[in-house]
Amino acid sequence: MTAVPARLERFFVADSPTQQLAARLRSAGHASYLVGGSVRDALLDRDIDDVDITTSARPDVVEAVVRPWAGAVWLQGQRFGTIGCEKDGERFEITTFRADVYRPESRKPEVTFSDDIETDLSRRDFTVNAMAIALDPADNDRFVDPYGGLTDLAARRLRTPLAPEISFEDDPLRMLRAARFVTTLGFEPDAAAIAAIERMHERLDIVSAERIRDELSKLIVADDPAPGLWLCSRTGLSDHFLPELNSMQLEQDPIHRHKDVLAHTIAVVGKTSPRLRIRLAALLHDVGKPRTRGYGPQGVTFHHHEVVGARMARERMLALRYPNDLVDDVAKLVELHLRFHTYRMGWTDSAVRRYVRDAGPLLDDLNELTRCDCTTRDARKAAALGRRMDELEARIGELREREELAKIRPALDGNRVMRYLGVAPGPIVGEALDFLLELRLEEGPLDEDESYSRLDAWARERGLEPKGAG
Ligand code: ATP
Ligand code: MG
């Protein structure tokens, strides 16, 4: 290779972190190459975050070489031959040349190492990820591309270095990685790869939930996730990690030509901003529809699909091993996604307070999801919804200025309630606090005197004799 693409220059600057690392490995008798996503992204003129390096050195040697040099070292990937480290702001993932094969029923790769770069590249997922550049400036055959990755890159094509059946059998996750690269790179799998996915998708069942989750997350936060989601749906691949997707395809209503829920869902995902939480909420917001479909006088109905859907979203995300706080947030967004539409008669202050309180820190995401959940082709309808959302947001803004909406709580705390009523801790205190919270939501902030006198009336109705605030 003659000219070095601009994005690669930093790796060849004398004494750069990358060159220091290569020199250290060389002193230990080992070759090293820039490889994988780093080479691909440099050729596409995209940013490179983690620098992928491959080397003939075994992981224990790599560790010994980087330990005294790197600022930080991480070993989570060591079992699979990967050592991670950081040096002067550059993050490296250093992988020993591989010749790995999955045992057919195992969930984790059985790693075996090889001594040459070509074998390593043949074990990579796609030819566009199977190019390498020697880091030794003295190496004359600097660019290594035995499988035609550069041609495929130019054609924006995903092709496996070996036959796709062998590749996907070795590691079925590669089928999902194909869908991921369809969205993140806008590339297309070749016909052989598609046919292999159609034939072999059940093999994904042997892959661990964590590995699937990480690919799914990368897939759905891409600028335009639709092509990858459609690929998963069309080939049947998603049936093995997100069966809810294709269930939504069955939701056409032939009589009233109700929109296909799957097409709607994928459109909504693409409209939301590319953050994981809201994208997952968009992906799962209507999963309750298939189970709640009914036919009423006005056509098809999906009563309480948001409640059923929130439960299903929770179960699915837990199965995919998403962290609990993210699961809670997404389930809540699914459960609240119709709330806006329940206020058909206009928004009272009390309704606005309840909406804000129930959404809590998810308020902005809930508003965005509600806006994006409108995929009608009827421009007048869409504009009307947009206006009503603007109104609600303006109302929230006004109320926020007048009241501290973020901190809605009863006007009196538990201690003051107990003192006033002259009671010990017990259920009655909780009931009194619930009453005061209701009051706060219904009427807004009340001053202390007013709060005590309302509490007084409430207590007397229950036959209590308050002791008073004094
Ligand atoms: P990104 O870093 O943007 O997520 P990437 O292509 O660098 O994309 P990584 O997961 O960082 O993906 O993997 C680095 C390289 O390792 C890939 O480019 C590919 O060459 C190889 N690779 C990763 N996962 C697999 C796999 N399951 N099977 C085969 N090769 C893989
Ligand atoms: Mg990478």
Side-chain angles (χ1 to χ4, degrees), residues 275-282 284-285 306 309-310 313-314 326-339 355 358-359 361-370 373:
R275 288 178 290 106
L276 186 59
R277 183 169 75 187
I278 194 166
R279 285 276 166 101
L280 283 167
L284 298 169
H285 79 284
E306 74 281 17
R314 175 177 294 282
L326 186 61
V327 175
D328 290 343
D329 287 353
V330 170
K332 180 117 174 244
L333 285 166
V334 173
E335 190 175 334
L336 292 177
H337 85 272
L338 290 178
R339 174 66 78 86
Y355 182 86
D358 289 348
L362 301 173
L363 181 64
D364 290 340
D365 276 3
L366 180 60
N367 287 343
E368 186 181 335
L369 181 61
T370 307
D373 189 13

Side-chain angles (χ1 to χ4, degrees), residues 36-37 40 52 123-125 129 171 174 177 180 218:
R40 177 199 71 214
D52 297 315
R123 290 297 176 187
R124 291 184 179 260
D125 51 0
N129 292 336
D171 181 1
R174 292 169 187 165
R177 284 176 64 87
R180 195 250 282 195
K218 288 183 182 177

Side-chain angles (χ1 to χ4, degrees), residues 1 40 81 88 104 113 141 186 190 254 278 287 341 363 397-398 423:
M1 199 170 60
R40 177 199 71 214
D88 299 339
F113 300 120
D141 296 317
D190 69 355
I278 194 166
V287 291
H341 300 280
L363 181 64
E398 282 164 26
V423 298

